[in-house]
Amino acid sequence: MPQTITNDHDLREAISGLSPVEQRALGGQFVANVGHLSQDPRISRAIDAAIDPDISPAELEQIYKTVKAFATQTYTACGSDADWAAQAEHFVAAAAAASLSSDDQSGARGAWKAAMQARMAKNCEMILNDDGGAANESTNQYQMVGRYLEGLEQ
């Protein structure tokens, strides 16, 4: 029976039960959902790496460093005067880096961090397009996790 997730508490709990490889794959799905906000090939490579269960640790680390550097490079966009497209791209890059990262000292998990960064990217897109009625990214993520967990059960 598929797990129904309707809030962030349930989302975080569901994520916490996943292995690092599963978290990475789910984080990659979160990034892919907002990946259209960046045309940079580093984002595509990060998504591919996130969903590849057989990627070598060395290759994963190299792609993580590359996309993390891109996120750092695009961080300056967050201070620019309402360049919402550039800010969205930064958050996509930050989500990609998070999806490839391991746990940090605060206990935050990569998929959770990727989800939050992806939501920020979606918010920038909504502002850019002056579209307050766009699909809620939180709800999209709840559904993605439900489908992902259902796939694991089969």
Side-chain angles (χ1 to χ4, degrees), residues 108-130:
R109 306 282 292 206
W112 174 256
K113 292 185 285 187
M116 297 303 104
Q117 296 295 333
R119 289 180 192 181
M120 294 297 293
K122 189 66 169 179
N123 288 344
C124 292
E125 179 184 35
M126 288 169 41
I127 294 168
L128 176 67
N129 295 332
D130 195 25

Side-chain angles (χ1 to χ4, degrees), residues 3-64:
Q3 182 174 347
T4 301
I5 297 172
T6 59
N7 59 60
D8 281 350
H9 178 268
D10 292 348
L11 177 67
R12 193 168 190 146
E13 190 173 296
I15 288 172
S16 72
L18 298 175
S19 73
V21 170
E22 293 166 340
Q23 284 223 16
R24 191 176 71 229
L26 184 58
Q29 289 182 23
F30 294 151
V31 177
N33 205 48
V34 294
H36 65 279
L37 297 171
S38 175
Q39 301 307 309
D40 194 284
R42 291 171 280 198
I43 300 301
S44 298
R45 281 195 300 276
I47 292 168
D48 291 344
I51 62 175
D52 181 356
D54 299 319
I55 191 169
S56 73
E59 187 178 5
L60 183 64
E61 180 69 17
Q62 186 272 326
I63 294 170
Y64 167 76

Side-chain angles (χ1 to χ4, degrees), residues 127-140:
I127 294 168
L128 176 67
N129 295 332
D130 195 25
D131 183 10
N136 183 313
E137 192 63 14
S138 299
T139 302
N140 290 339

Side-chain angles (χ1 to χ4, degrees), residues 54-102:
D54 299 319
I55 191 169
S56 73
E59 187 178 5
L60 183 64
E61 180 69 17
Q62 186 272 326
I63 294 170
Y64 167 76
K65 286 180 179 179
T66 301
V67 78
K68 178 70 173 167
F70 181 51
T72 301
Q73 172 193 342
T74 59
Y75 179 73
T76 56
C78 291
S80 61
D81 187 25
D83 185 348
W84 296 109
Q87 290 187 39
E89 184 170 53
H90 163 71
F91 288 117
V92 171
S99 73
L100 300 178
S101 70
S102 58

